[in-house]
Amino acid sequence: MGTAFSGGDELAAARLLLARLGVTPEQLLTVPSVPRVVPTFDEYIDRVSEAVTVGTGVYGTYWNRVREVWGSRRLDEPSPLEIRQLAERMKEQLVVRRNSRGGRTAAEHLISSLRCLYSYAEADGLIAESANPAKRVPKPRRLASTRRALSESQLASINEVAATTGNDPELDTLVLRLHIETACRRGGGLALRRADLDTEQCMVRLLEKGETVRWQPVSPTLASQLAQHSDDRGGGDPTERLLRYRNGRPITSRRHDHLWQRVGGHLPWVATQQVSTHWLRHTTLTWVERSFGYAVARAFAGHNGRSDAGTTSTYVRADVYEVAQALAALTGESHPLLAAAVRAPSGKHLEVNPIGGYGR
């Protein structure tokens, strides 16, 4: 016949058993979490590559290097010291070019690409923020840019070479004029579509880095040239790229590279100083700032974030009509957004005709 226990005796027996097992009552109330399996770099780079935006596409090159050395390792294995060592190896193995700056940019991009990768790992709960090794590796200090505004005679010489040499001067001069008038980045010009061209209001919609979108005034001449180029070489789909070769294929960044290589062959200073499309952005924005002030130049450049100029920029924003006024002065052409043609305070304008000068 079994022995009957009272409620108090049962609790006492349970406490005694738990004490012998080394378990507290609180531990019984906690549901054990199943640890997540930390993926390898090969596995996780594939997943993150599908999530990153177009602006972070440069990371792909550096993720491939990470795959080569750490592909089979888990994300939580490399230490900050190993990341620093990998960055130094990349600097040493860099192919030395005329515009190389000691591999600092390569090291910076490697660290940035790893920070991007680990930020996704943090969000997925694969590693803790305190365990993120990429955050504890400082980027190399960025050197001042060697790019600058071109002089009047320099820009005129570049335009003349583009218009009189090469296998497609029409395309090259159109590309140059687009970048001179809009000060857009190379990616903005390459991404331009027929649907982004408003020929009535003479504006183009630019999609640039950081997923920014802005409508930028262009001269009636450029708007007409872009429309004609699209009609002559476009595939009929307004959502496809606008700038194309004669065979109808959209141009890529290689067209820019070939253009500047050819110009550099005729103008040695272009090759020596490594002049590129971005120098046109510097040229136009410098002219706008000198003629119309900082606020208009900032709007012309498409800089909208507070980080571009601090808190003061909140109170000195310029609108699209002021940008159109600057453009009218830059090109010497009236713009539909303005009631009348407006000239720069100095009375000068930039000559953007491919065979003309600059600042005449």
Side-chain angles (χ1 to χ4, degrees):
M1 190 171 179
T3 304
F5 288 92
S6 66
D9 292 338
E10 291 176 349
L11 289 175
R15 291 191 184 97
L16 178 61
L17 177 61
L18 291 175
R20 289 180 176 178
L21 294 175
V23 178
T24 65
E26 289 77 10
Q27 290 175 315
L28 296 176
L29 299 176
T30 303
V31 178
S33 59
V34 179
R36 302 191 68 172
V37 177
V38 179
T40 65
F41 282 95
D42 276 337
E43 295 168 341
Y44 204 60
I45 287 174
D46 286 338
R47 286 151 58 179
V48 174
S49 296
E50 298 177 356
V52 296
T53 60
V54 175
T56 54
V58 68
Y59 292 160
T61 300
Y62 297 91
W63 285 339
N64 288 337
R65 289 299 307 274
V66 172
R67 286 178 186 270
E68 293 174 5
V69 293
W70 293 341
S72 60
R73 298 182 69 182
R74 298 195 317 270
L75 294 178
D76 57 353
E77 290 183 349
S79 66
L81 176 60
E82 288 180 287
I83 293 177
R84 187 188 292 268
Q85 291 172 334
L86 180 59
E88 288 299 317
R89 287 204 301 274
M90 288 199 65
K91 289 173 60 177
E92 295 171 358
Q93 297 169 3
L94 186 71
V95 176
V96 178
R97 296 185 175 88
R98 190 174 298 178
N99 63 341
S100 295
R101 311 188 77 185
R104 302 172 73 96
T105 301
E108 179 184 352
H109 286 330
L110 172 69
I111 296 171
S112 296
S113 67
L114 285 172
R115 287 184 179 180
C116 174
L117 194 70
Y118 277 106
S119 68
Y120 280 94
E122 282 185 25
D124 285 344
L126 298 173
I127 62 170
E129 182 178 359
S130 59
N132 185 336
K135 283 185 176 179
R136 300 200 292 275
V137 180
K139 293 182 182 179
R141 182 175 60 86
R142 183 171 294 185
L143 300 177
S145 174
T146 58
R147 301 185 186 110
R148 57 175 175 78
L150 298 165
S151 69
E152 300 177 10
S153 60
Q154 287 174 329
L155 187 59
S157 297
I158 290 172
N159 282 329
E160 184 174 2
V161 171
T164 57
T165 64
N167 61 1
D168 197 345
E170 178 186 336
L171 172 63
D172 292 334
T173 54
L174 183 62
V175 168
L176 289 179
R177 180 157 189 158
L178 173 65
H179 285 277
I180 293 171
E181 282 202 21
T182 67
C184 67
R185 299 174 179 86
R186 185 166 69 169
L190 292 174
L192 188 66
R193 306 166 302 172
R194 181 61 179 86
D196 298 322
L197 175 61
D198 182 344
T199 54
E200 181 179 358
Q201 292 295 309
C202 295
M203 300 182 75
V204 292
R205 179 169 49 195
L206 297 173
L207 290 76
E208 297 188 300
K209 71 175 186 179
E211 299 183 307
T212 60
V213 180
R214 61 189 170 100
W215 281 99
Q216 187 80 1
V218 295
S219 68
T221 297
L222 179 56
S224 176
Q225 289 176 346
L226 289 171
Q228 187 63 49
H229 179 86
S230 177
D231 292 341
D232 293 342
R233 304 189 182 188
D237 186 346
T239 64
E240 293 182 347
R241 302 285 182 86
L242 189 150
L243 296 172
R244 294 172 176 269
Y245 297 105
R246 286 197 178 98
N247 61 10
R249 289 189 300 106
I251 69 169
T252 66
S253 59
R254 292 181 63 85
R255 187 65 193 185
H256 287 258
D257 296 337
H258 293 156
L259 169 61
W260 291 110
Q261 288 172 8
R262 188 175 78 252
V263 174
H266 290 80
L267 304 172
W269 60 268
V270 169
T272 300
Q273 297 182 43
Q274 293 294 296
V275 176
S276 65
T277 304
H278 207 75
W279 287 55
L280 302 179
R281 179 173 168 85
H282 280 257
T283 301
T284 298
L285 294 179
T286 297
W287 185 89
V288 173
E289 191 278 330
R290 299 295 190 269
S291 302
F292 289 87
Y294 177 78
V296 177
R298 185 168 178 269
F300 207 110
H303 290 159
N304 298 312
R306 180 174 290 184
S307 60
D308 293 320
T311 306
T312 306
S313 62
T314 303
Y315 305 98
V316 293
R317 292 178 178 173
D319 57 29
V320 69
Y321 300 100
E322 292 171 284
V323 172
Q325 179 182 357
L327 175 73
L330 184 150
T331 61
E333 296 185 36
S334 60
H335 195 275
L337 292 180
L338 305 176
V342 181
R343 300 189 68 82
S346 64
K348 293 184 177 182
H349 67 272
L350 282 174
E351 174 58 64
V352 295
N353 187 297
I355 58 173
Y358 154 56
R360 293 186 176 180

